[in-house]
Amino acid sequence: MCYTGGCAEKLISLFKSIQGCLKSISKEFELSVPEMMIMLELYENKTLSLNEVSEKIEIPKSSVSRIVDGLVNREYVSREIPVENRRMVNLSISNKCLKCIDVACINDRFEDVVVGGLEPSKAEKMILGLEELSSILNKDRK
C-alpha cells in the first residue's frame, strides 16, 4: 500500500535512474551493464564458477555463459576447467585485463555517483531501505 499515492510511478522512475546510472558507468569502461556486473563479482570474489556468477547477478546461466564468451574473447576473463570436475567452469579476471582496466575503479565510480553526495548517515539509510525492498521483492519471487 502506498501512503502518498503514485508509488508505482515513483519506484519505476527510481529504477530507471539507477539503470541509467549503471549504463553510464559501464560505458565509461566500455562494458555493458551485465559485463560490468560480472567483472565486479569476479573482482570481489577472485574466482567464481559460472553457476555462482549466474546466482550472484541473477541472470540465467545461459546468458552469463554468452556474456562470458565475449569477455573471454576480449581477454578480460580467464576460463578454467578444473581437472577434478570437467563439468565445472571457473572464471577469474585475466592478468591482461588487470593491466588495462582498474576494476576497483568501477566500484568506486558507482559509489561516487550513487552515494557520493550524501552524508554517511543518509547513505546508510538509503542502503537499508534498498535492502528491505530487495528482501520484499525476493520473497515475492519465491
Side-chain angles (χ1 to χ4, degrees):
M1 180 190 288
C2 193
Y3 301 105
T4 61
C7 256
E9 292 84 10
K10 289 177 185 176
L11 286 171
I12 290 168
S13 177
L14 288 169
F15 288 135
K16 285 181 180 178
S17 292
I18 292 169
Q19 186 177 31
C21 175
L22 287 171
K23 283 182 181 179
S24 175
I25 294 168
S26 67
K27 282 184 182 178
E28 288 179 34
F29 295 91
E30 298 179 12
L31 297 166
S32 68
V33 173
E35 287 173 334
M36 181 177 73
M37 292 168 59
I38 290 169
M39 297 296 288
L40 288 171
E41 286 297 337
L42 292 175
Y43 179 77
E44 205 171 288
N45 295 282
K46 304 299 180 219
T47 300
L48 291 171
S49 72
L50 197 61
N51 289 336
E52 290 170 325
V53 172
S54 175
E55 289 171 11
K56 287 183 176 290
I57 66 172
E58 298 183 11
I59 293 177
K61 185 179 166 188
S62 59
S63 297
V64 171
S65 181
R66 185 180 39 77
I67 295 164
V68 166
D69 285 344
L71 291 169
V72 168
N73 289 338
R74 289 162 63 189
E75 298 183 41
Y76 286 1
V77 170
S78 297
R79 185 185 294 148
E80 186 178 310
I81 300 171
V83 176
E84 66 276 0
N85 185 353
R86 309 257 325 135
R87 292 178 292 162
M88 188 173 194
V89 176
N90 288 328
L91 307 170
S92 59
I93 296 177
S94 72
N95 289 331
K96 180 178 180 179
C97 179
L98 291 172
K99 291 177 184 172
C100 64
I101 295 178
D102 185 355
V103 182
C105 186
I106 298 172
N107 188 54
D108 293 345
R109 180 76 177 104
F110 184 70
E111 283 187 17
D112 286 347
V113 169
V114 176
V115 295
L118 293 176
E119 298 171 17
S121 63
K122 287 185 179 181
E124 185 64 30
K125 285 179 185 177
M126 181 185 72
I127 291 167
L128 289 172
L130 290 171
E131 286 174 341
E132 179 75 19
L133 176 61
S134 177
S135 176
I136 291 166
L137 294 173
N138 286 331
K139 182 177 73 176
D140 286 347
R141 286 191 344 201
K142 292 179 180 176

